[in-house]
Amino acid sequence: MNAFLVSLEAFHFIRPLLLLLIPVAIVIWWPVRRSAYSRDIPADGLAPHLRAALVLGADERRRLQPIDGVAAALILLAIGAAGPTWSRTPDPFVAQSAPVVVALKVTPSMEDKDIAPSRLERGKQKIRDLLKLRAGARTALVAYAGSAHLVVPMTEDPSVMTPYLEGLNPQIMPRDGERAELALQLGLDLLASEETPGGILFVADGLDPADAAAINDAGQPVVFLAMLREDRRDRGLDQLAVPVVSVTPNAADIDRLDRLLNAAYRQALLENTEQPWEDRGYWLAWPVALLILFWFRQGWTMRWAVIAAIAIPGLFHSAPARADGVADWFLTPDQQGRIAFQNRNFDKAADLFADPLWRGYAQYRSGQYEEAVITLDRVDTAEAAFIQGMAHIKSRSYRDGVRAFETALQRDPDYPHADENLQTAREIVDYVERVREQSDTGESGGIGADEVVFDNEGNRGVETSMEAPREEGVGLMTADQWMNTVDTRTGDFLRQRFAIEAARAGKPEASQ
């Protein structure tokens, strides 16, 4: 079921009793409209053609009357007041997209260059485009050939997935073949742990017909992005009952995939009774405003009233009003920020929001983690502390993340996921301290100005420091510079990991 049918099925009115105002509007309209052409016009002593030319209002029945506009406006207002809706209000602190597992086929056939630069490279490009479109949504990456392997678990940060995506090539896969059913099972296992229904996206140039039945009966939405030219067909893909989208030179294929995958999320949102219905009646205010404009066609009385209505409020304000744009005439900064947020323009939303909770959350979604923590210090709620904890974790300040999640639980012991994230953050801190105890590479000398010191707040092991190499004209090396000195490619790491997983499996099974 696509998004339109889901919305159509959910359409109803929040306050249906207000629809009874529609007959009232019709009762008011009909007598007034009828009186416009019910006057008896004497016909004695007057030729028909002269009577038609001299009598005004003869064609009133066929002309629109002011009462027609009034009645239409009243009916639209009644419908708007009744609260038409077809969706629930989304939770602003939950990603507004379905979780998706991307299964990329990594076989020699994917290196065919009939789709430039190759099917595999174009598939990677399409995955990056999808990640950009679904910014902030949970996405996992699976690679498969003769075996299936989890490359990146569910994450909201696309930058984590990009380097691993680049390292995928047929040479790192431990077994030949195209076992799509193994990737399917691995994807289903990942989605089973998610709170909302999601989908699986296969990016492949074909399908073994033996796997078609398993995919058709998956029980979760499955979509295929076919890395084939339109003039080519694949017997396995032709047997699929799930949507198959052909790759396109533009973003049309990605837009369609996003709509198909999010249909499951919208269906799940409709079934969430904890979320209120979103009132869409305000949309009808625009046609009502247009109808009201017809009342100003004649006479100056109403025009002067409008000018007075605009000018009089200015007499009671000493400071002149200022508008930086047309949007400022009609929308508050928070309303403009909400629009930018819904359009996933988080940087702009962070600049627009005046509410510190929303501004801090927009900064977090845009990757401004330190700024988000500072902004949210102004808010004493569990939501603010929870977002601060996530921002600390994203910026690798794990101890601060522990404190923030503890604060969230103090403010609201039942706040969703706060306890789970607290335990995860504590495990990370404990792991770092265990590694420090085992390494125990401290030195007795003092710490120089050019040394990097790692946190040892828990006093476990010794303070660990290492001297930062210096180059001519270069001071302390940054984290990126340190990473650039590592001579291990992502593909080499994945090759070793996949080989170990395949060896442990002992047979071509999905592995995590």
Side-chain angles (χ1 to χ4, degrees):
M1 181 179 293
N2 58 37
F4 174 76
L5 293 178
V6 170
S7 301
L8 185 62
E9 182 180 351
F11 180 84
H12 68 283
F13 291 94
I14 301 175
R15 299 170 292 273
L17 289 179
L18 291 179
L19 293 176
L20 296 176
L21 295 175
I22 295 178
V24 176
I26 295 176
V27 169
I28 295 174
W29 165 78
W30 175 247
V32 178
R33 187 67 169 87
R34 190 169 181 273
S35 64
Y37 54 83
S38 60
R39 292 170 298 179
D40 294 332
I41 302 175
D44 298 339
L46 191 63
H49 64 283
L50 294 177
R51 176 176 174 272
L54 296 176
V55 175
L56 299 177
D59 295 329
E60 292 291 330
R61 182 177 305 193
R62 295 187 296 271
R63 291 177 54 190
L64 289 176
Q65 298 291 322
I67 189 61
D68 298 332
V70 173
L74 291 176
I75 291 173
L76 290 176
L77 288 174
I79 296 174
T85 182
W86 52 89
S87 64
R88 292 189 181 272
T89 302
D91 186 346
F93 301 109
V94 176
Q96 304 306 306
S97 296
V100 170
V101 177
V102 179
L104 176 62
K105 182 180 178 183
V106 187
T107 62
S109 66
M110 287 288 286
E111 294 188 311
D112 195 321
K113 300 185 182 301
D114 59 340
I115 298 178
S118 69
R119 296 176 181 176
L120 182 60
E121 292 303 318
R122 179 60 68 86
K124 293 179 181 179
Q125 174 195 339
K126 292 296 182 179
I127 293 173
R128 288 193 297 269
D129 292 342
L130 181 65
L131 291 174
K132 183 178 180 180
L133 179 63
R134 289 168 39 83
R138 292 177 60 78
T139 310
L141 178 62
V142 170
Y144 76 95
S147 57
H149 304 269
L150 176 61
V151 182
V152 179
M154 284 290 182
T155 177
E156 299 176 0
D157 189 355
S159 63
V160 174
M161 190 176 296
T162 302
Y164 291 97
L165 185 65
E166 294 300 326
L168 293 175
N169 60 75
Q171 289 71 39
I172 71 172
M173 303 303 293
R175 289 193 175 94
D176 296 332
E178 46 178 300
R179 301 288 301 277
E181 85 281 4
L182 298 180
L184 174 68
Q185 186 57 51
L186 186 50
L188 292 176
D189 293 341
L190 291 169
L191 292 175
S193 61
E194 294 297 306
E195 295 182 353
T196 58
I200 301 176
L201 168 64
F202 279 88
V203 181
D205 60 353
L207 177 71
D208 191 321
D211 297 333
I215 292 174
N216 289 335
D217 300 332
Q220 291 275 16
V222 178
V223 182
F224 263 79
L225 176 60
M227 305 306 298
L228 289 172
R229 292 188 335 198
E230 293 184 358
D231 58 344
R232 297 195 177 188
R233 301 294 297 272
D234 180 84
R235 188 162 60 93
L237 294 179
D238 290 341
Q239 296 180 10
L240 289 176
V242 302
V244 178
V245 179
S246 299
V247 64
T248 62
N250 53 24
D253 50 357
I254 299 301
D255 292 337
R256 185 182 175 193
L257 289 173
D258 186 56
R259 291 193 299 269
L260 291 170
L261 292 169
N262 279 334
Y265 166 78
R266 295 188 179 93
Q267 182 65 45
L269 185 62
L270 293 176
E271 298 172 358
N272 183 7
T273 57
E274 296 181 359
Q275 291 297 113
W277 290 100
E278 186 172 8
D279 194 336
R280 306 278 187 164
Y282 64 89
W283 286 14
L284 295 176
W286 294 105
V288 170
L290 292 176
L291 288 171
I292 292 176
L293 288 178
F294 285 102
W295 297 351
F296 298 88
R297 290 185 302 166
Q298 297 180 355
W300 285 90
T301 304
M302 293 301 295
R303 294 180 184 177
W304 281 109
V306 172
I307 295 174
I310 296 175
I312 290 175
L315 299 177
F316 300 95
H317 297 279
S318 58
R322 182 178 65 88
D324 295 329
V326 176
D328 294 330
W329 300 351
F330 304 100
L331 302 174
T332 67
D334 283 337
Q335 290 172 333
Q336 297 178 52
R338 183 63 183 271
I339 293 173
F341 189 92
Q342 290 177 339
N343 293 331
R344 299 176 180 176
N345 191 345
F346 302 120
D347 286 329
K348 182 178 179 181
D351 294 334
L352 290 171
F353 274 124
D355 183 276
L357 179 62
W358 276 101
R359 186 168 75 251
Y361 186 52
Q363 289 172 335
Y364 165 75
R365 294 294 294 272
S366 66
Q368 304 175 53
Y369 303 126
E370 296 180 359
E371 293 83 352
V373 170
I374 295 173
T375 301
L376 292 168
D377 279 336
R378 299 172 176 268
V379 185
D380 296 328
T381 64
E383 293 88 346
F386 183 84
I387 300 170
Q388 284 182 313
M390 294 301 299
H392 284 307
I393 295 298
K394 292 283 189 179
S395 60
R396 296 179 174 85
S397 301
Y398 302 116
R399 287 190 178 280
D400 292 329
V402 169
R403 297 188 185 97
F405 290 131
E406 289 174 343
T407 301
L409 289 172
Q410 290 174 0
R411 296 172 178 173
D412 183 0
D414 298 324
Y415 192 80
H417 306 300
D419 186 62
E420 300 171 17
N421 287 5
L422 174 60
Q423 298 304 322
T424 301
R426 285 174 174 171
E427 290 174 4
I428 295 173
V429 171
D430 186 66
Y431 171 78
V432 172
E433 293 180 343
R434 270 201 324 272
V435 172
R436 180 178 295 110
E437 286 179 340
Q438 295 170 1
S439 62
D440 196 9
T441 57
E443 297 179 1
S444 58
I447 298 173
D450 294 328
E451 292 181 330
V452 182
V453 181
F454 295 93
D455 169 50
N456 191 21
E457 186 178 324
N459 294 321
R460 298 176 58 177
V462 298
E463 293 291 353
T464 303
S465 63
M466 59 185 177
E467 187 176 351
R470 296 182 63 87
E471 299 178 6
E472 184 178 356
V474 180
L476 184 65
M477 294 182 70
T478 65
D480 290 338
Q481 289 172 328
W482 273 109
M483 292 300 296
N484 291 333
T485 63
V486 180
D487 193 22
T488 301
R489 294 178 300 176
T490 307
D492 297 332
F493 166 74
L494 292 176
R495 180 190 292 110
Q496 296 175 7
R497 202 187 86 187
F498 291 173
I500 293 173
E501 292 175 348
R504 288 176 177 173
K507 55 183 180 179
E509 292 180 353
S511 55
Q512 293 194 45

